[in-house]
């Protein structure tokens, strides 16, 4: 039998694996932004509140995740922090480097492995209190287009970890050998091809040979 804690923890994992906060996931699903907030999980009298089947279904659709995968989050028994060793990206103190996504493709901002380099980065403060937590090489990019709408919109800040393991289905930032930097979903990856998909159905999938991609880095959080 599923417990109240397991269900909500799985929703948090769903949001984190989509590179979103709980409120960002709710917005992407067309729900009230507070639907999945922690304050909504218990009534003032201490009674447990459960997410509705409708809200969960919409969240799964927005995240491109099946019910089987969602149940797998419960079976794994942990959030992104527990599974992959990352502290909550919202816990960074002192800010992290940030540039615009379009600017990122102009050169000089990344090393060959996708780590931020140089001193031209601005910095952005994210909510939280634990200075130094998480991957010290994480950086942020500001979304500039609408290819990832409705999950990421122009002006949203995505946090990227070049050290994170990347799997098919992850939201990623990719850099091609031509210098283009883009936020996409990794739809397929093997020795012959890499397929990068937009969440906006108006945009076609992009297919590359592995030799055409310089690096892929996983999106681990977003501020919207």
């Amino acid at each position: 039998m599923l417990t109240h804690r397991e269900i909500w923890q799985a929703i948090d994992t769903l949001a984190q694996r989509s590179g979103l906060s709980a409120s960002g996931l709710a917005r992407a699903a067309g729900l009230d932004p507070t639907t999945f907030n922690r304050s909504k999980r218990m009534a003032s009298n201490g009674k447990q509140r459960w997410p509705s089947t409708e809200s969960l279904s919409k969240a799964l659709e927005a995240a491109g995740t099946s019910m089987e995968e969602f149940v797998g989050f419960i079976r794994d028994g942990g959030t992104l922090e527990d599974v992959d060793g990352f502290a909550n990206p919202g816990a960074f103190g002192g800010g992290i480097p940030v540039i615009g996504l379009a600017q990122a493709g102009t050169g000089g901002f990344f090393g060959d492995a996708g780590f931020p380099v140089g001193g031209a980065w601005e910095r952005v403060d994210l909510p939280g209190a634990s200075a130094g937590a998480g991957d010290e090489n994480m950086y942020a990019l500001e979304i500039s287009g609408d290819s990832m709408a409705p999950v990421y919109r122009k002006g949203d800040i995505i946090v990227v970890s070049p050290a994170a393991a990347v799997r098919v289905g992850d939201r990623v930032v990719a850099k091609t050998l031509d210098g283009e930097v883009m936020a996409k979903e990794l739809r397929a990856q093997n020795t012959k091809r890499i397929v990068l998909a937009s969440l906006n159905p108006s945009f076609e999938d992009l297919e590359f040979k592995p030799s055409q991609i310089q690096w892929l880095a996983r999106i681990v959080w977003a501020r919207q």
Side-chain angles (χ1 to χ4, degrees), residues 6 9 12 32 53-54 58 62-63 82 88-89 110 131 143 170 186 188 191 193-194 199 201 218 220:
E6 286 172 337
Q9 189 175 59
D12 288 338
D32 184 290
T53 303
E54 180 182 11
K58 288 182 177 180
D82 300 321
N88 185 340
F110 301 101
I143 296 295
D170 285 342
L186 181 59
T191 58
R193 65 175 190 149
I194 292 175
L199 300 182
R218 183 170 153 198
V220 295

Side-chain angles (χ1 to χ4, degrees), residues 24 27-28 142-146 148-157 224:
R27 275 194 295 269
E142 182 177 346
I143 296 295
S144 57
D146 59 356
M148 294 294 278
V151 177
Y152 306 139
R153 295 181 173 86
K154 183 177 180 179
D156 288 350
I157 298 292
Q224 299 170 301

Side-chain angles (χ1 to χ4, degrees), residues 12 15 31 55 67 75 85 88 104 126 129 137-139 141 146 152 160 204 207:
D12 288 338
L31 302 169
S55 63
M67 179 58 74
R75 185 173 59 251
N88 185 340
L126 299 175
N137 293 301
M138 281 184 176
Y139 55 87
L141 298 169
D146 59 356
Y152 306 139
V160 177
E204 295 183 354
E207 184 170 325

Side-chain angles (χ1 to χ4, degrees), residues 90-178:
F92 301 140
I96 59 175
V98 60
I99 57 173
L101 189 60
Q103 184 185 7
T106 59
F109 288 101
F110 301 101
D112 290 342
F115 291 86
V117 297
W121 295 74
E122 298 179 7
R123 299 193 74 84
V124 62
D125 290 323
L126 299 175
S130 299
D135 177 3
E136 63 180 9
N137 293 301
M138 281 184 176
Y139 55 87
L141 298 169
E142 182 177 346
I143 296 295
S144 57
D146 59 356
S147 69
M148 294 294 278
V151 177
Y152 306 139
R153 295 181 173 86
K154 183 177 180 179
D156 288 350
I157 298 292
I158 56 174
V159 176
V160 177
S161 173
V166 175
R167 296 166 290 203
V168 171
D170 285 342
R171 310 250 167 90
V172 300
V173 170
K175 184 179 181 182
T176 69
L177 287 183
D178 293 333

